[in-house]
Amino acid sequence: SVGRIPYLVPVKWEDGWPVLGVDGKVPETLNLPASKGYMPGIVTSDEFTRKKTDAALPLAWQWNHNPDHRFWSVKQRPGFLRLTTGRVDTSILMARNTLTQRTFGPESSASTFLDLSNLKDGDHAGLLLLQKNYGWVGVKAEGGARYLVMVNASGGKPEEVSRIPLTQKGIYLKADCDFRNRTDKAYFYYSLDGKDWQPIGSVLQMSYTLPHFM
């Protein structure tokens, strides 16, 4: 479910021809030094703190759809990504300004902090593992109240499996992915201080599906 995995493969030249791998096989690990030159390495910061000469978003990020640039900014509040509601969608898969990055095998983890100060009724904000049968943890604003929720769609339809009333103006969210030996499971957490993490919801059974190409 991690999708097509890019590999770095050592190459040497023999008699004018490139020979890939080590003894005809791709090694499981490579000892690569961190880049200190003008070309950045394959690992880059995904923080939203930007210098004046930096691109608005580093290449670690990509939009799930063509973004509507009227409704996002990293300049209005330096150090933060600001997303504002541009339209109402019927499905999280249709949400236009969904900022994403690739997961990595065999294991990877992502965490973020949400400032909920200006969340309005009908707004949803959170951390999503994006696939056809997705899962997400985040906050829903409904009826003048806010709720921390976990939604699991691994059964084919989205199901809200956890709902906790929320009064805080900010919340930390985290997702852990386990792709080892095609385990393809994900776990969601929340924290009020960014240190003490609590599990929420159910295990997401991730899957590779052709209708939602990854």
Side-chain angles (χ1 to χ4, degrees):
S1 67
V2 75
R4 290 183 174 179
I5 306 170
Y7 279 93
L8 291 177
V9 182
V11 178
K12 62 181 179 180
W13 291 83
E14 294 183 356
D15 298 326
W17 292 93
V19 178
L20 281 68
V22 178
D23 296 329
K25 295 182 179 180
V26 175
E28 291 188 4
T29 60
L30 288 176
N31 183 21
L32 297 177
S35 174
K36 296 181 180 179
Y38 292 108
M39 297 296 292
I42 61 172
V43 177
T44 184
S45 171
D46 59 4
E47 295 292 340
F48 297 116
T49 303
R50 315 302 296 146
K51 297 178 181 178
K52 289 184 178 180
T53 56
D54 290 342
L57 293 172
L59 292 177
W61 293 106
Q62 59 187 357
W63 295 101
N64 182 42
H65 299 277
N66 290 332
D68 189 328
H69 296 296
R70 297 174 296 169
F71 302 113
W72 73 273
S73 174
V74 292
K75 295 181 179 179
Q76 291 176 357
R77 186 181 180 188
F80 286 75
L81 168 72
R82 175 168 287 176
L83 294 173
T84 53
T85 303
R87 69 185 192 191
V88 177
D89 286 308
T90 57
S91 166
I92 199 169
L93 298 178
M94 300 296 292
R96 185 169 177 181
N97 281 6
T98 302
L99 188 61
T100 70
Q101 59 178 270
R102 282 291 305 266
T103 50
F104 290 84
E107 296 174 281
S108 54
S109 181
S111 62
T112 191
F113 171 77
L114 290 184
D115 184 338
L116 311 169
S117 302
N118 294 308
L119 218 62
K120 297 177 175 60
D121 270 12
D123 284 344
H124 298 175
L127 182 62
L128 165 73
L129 288 178
L130 180 60
Q131 52 170 9
K132 181 178 181 294
N133 300 330
Y134 58 85
W136 71 279
V137 60
V139 179
K140 288 184 178 181
E142 294 178 353
R146 295 171 182 164
Y147 302 93
L148 177 66
V149 301
M150 188 272 167
V151 176
N152 192 323
S154 58
K157 294 182 179 180
E159 178 185 0
E160 185 181 290
V161 294
S162 291
R163 173 177 283 235
I164 302 172
L166 189 66
T167 58
Q168 288 80 6
K169 292 185 178 180
I171 191 81
Y172 294 85
L173 306 172
K174 184 170 71 168
D176 289 343
C177 299
D178 183 1
F179 302 108
R180 294 173 298 175
N181 300 317
R182 299 186 181 182
T183 299
D184 293 345
K185 286 181 167 45
Y187 309 85
F188 293 88
Y189 307 86
Y190 72 95
S191 173
L192 301 180
D193 58 9
K195 299 176 182 178
D196 182 25
W197 294 96
Q198 303 296 325
I200 184 172
S202 54
V203 177
L204 175 68
Q205 182 61 59
M206 297 179 287
S207 58
Y208 178 84
T209 57
L210 290 178
H212 187 101
F213 186 74
M214 291 175 290

